[in-house]
Amino acid sequence: MSTIAVVPGSFDPVTLGHLDVIGRAAGIFDEVHVLVVHNPDKSALLPIAQRVSLIQQAIADGGLPENIIVTSWSVGLLVDYCVEVGAKVLVKGIRSQVDVAYETPMAIVNRNLSGVETVFLLPDPAHAHVSSSLVRQVAGLGGDVSPYVPPVVAEFLQSPR
Ligand code: PNS
């Protein structure tokens, strides 16, 4: 039986750090579902469909493995999606102890809700300082975000909309 892992997140927008974790997950699990989820604690920059499209393009451009699908989930719990598709694992990237503190309660609640386990992966330290919120801020103030995001995202953010 194939093992499905879900990599959830806001991905607003997807960064090089996210792609690093997605690629590592795709090297471990048979099938990886990158799941764009609305985070009510964050104010969104991009519509969900735009985020999905940018991730799909970045994955294609980056030559990542073909066992990755990108989709979104807007109804109910994250683990409801996992149960629906038969995924037993969530994958989260951990950049620092701050991420551990943020992710640990969610991992335990998700396991209590559904039995779905969370696996933490360490991205390349080169991406340790990269976050979508910093990218949103730099892009919003007219700065160059190309060191932090895939080219398709940099072009999108820096083009007039
Ligand atoms: O990229 P983010 O914003 O850190 O991702 C957080 C996200 C979207 C994965 C998290 O907010 C989430 O899991 N939302 C789904 C709602 C849910 O299921 N909550 C209960 C369990 S924690």
Side-chain angles (χ1 to χ4, degrees):
M1 207 177 99
S2 65
T3 309
I4 302 173
V6 174
V7 184
S10 308
F11 302 110
D12 187 30
V14 68
T15 66
L16 294 178
H18 292 134
L19 289 175
D20 181 284
V21 169
I22 292 165
R24 289 174 198 284
I28 298 171
F29 299 101
D30 297 313
E31 208 178 295
V32 167
H33 294 204
V34 179
L35 192 69
V36 180
V37 185
H38 172 64
N39 184 340
D41 297 334
K42 295 179 180 172
S43 55
L45 172 69
L46 304 175
I48 298 256
Q50 187 70 61
R51 298 181 221 169
V52 169
S53 169
L54 287 170
I55 299 167
Q56 284 168 332
Q57 291 174 69
I59 286 173
D61 295 348
L64 267 70
E66 294 193 352
N67 60 339
I68 304 171
I69 68 166
V70 187
T71 187
S72 63
W73 184 248
S74 53
V75 202
L77 295 164
L78 169 60
V79 292
D80 292 342
Y81 176 86
C82 296
V83 170
E84 190 166 295
V85 300
K88 293 191 164 40
V89 180
L90 287 163
V91 172
K92 298 287 189 84
I94 293 292
R95 293 162 297 186
S96 67
Q97 290 300 323
V98 175
D99 283 346
V100 175
Y102 174 68
E103 296 292 349
T104 299
M106 290 197 284
I108 291 170
V109 168
N110 283 327
R111 185 169 64 193
N112 290 345
L113 283 166
S114 63
V116 171
E117 296 284 357
T118 299
V119 170
F120 294 151
L121 293 183
L122 302 176
D124 186 322
H127 305 306
H129 58 292
V130 179
S131 69
S132 296
S133 56
L134 268 179
V135 167
R136 290 196 296 276
Q137 191 177 106
V138 172
L141 296 170
D144 177 18
V145 293
S146 61
Y148 315 118
V149 295
V152 66
V153 172
E155 281 159 28
F156 179 82
L157 292 178
Q158 284 159 4
S159 64
R161 271 172 286 142

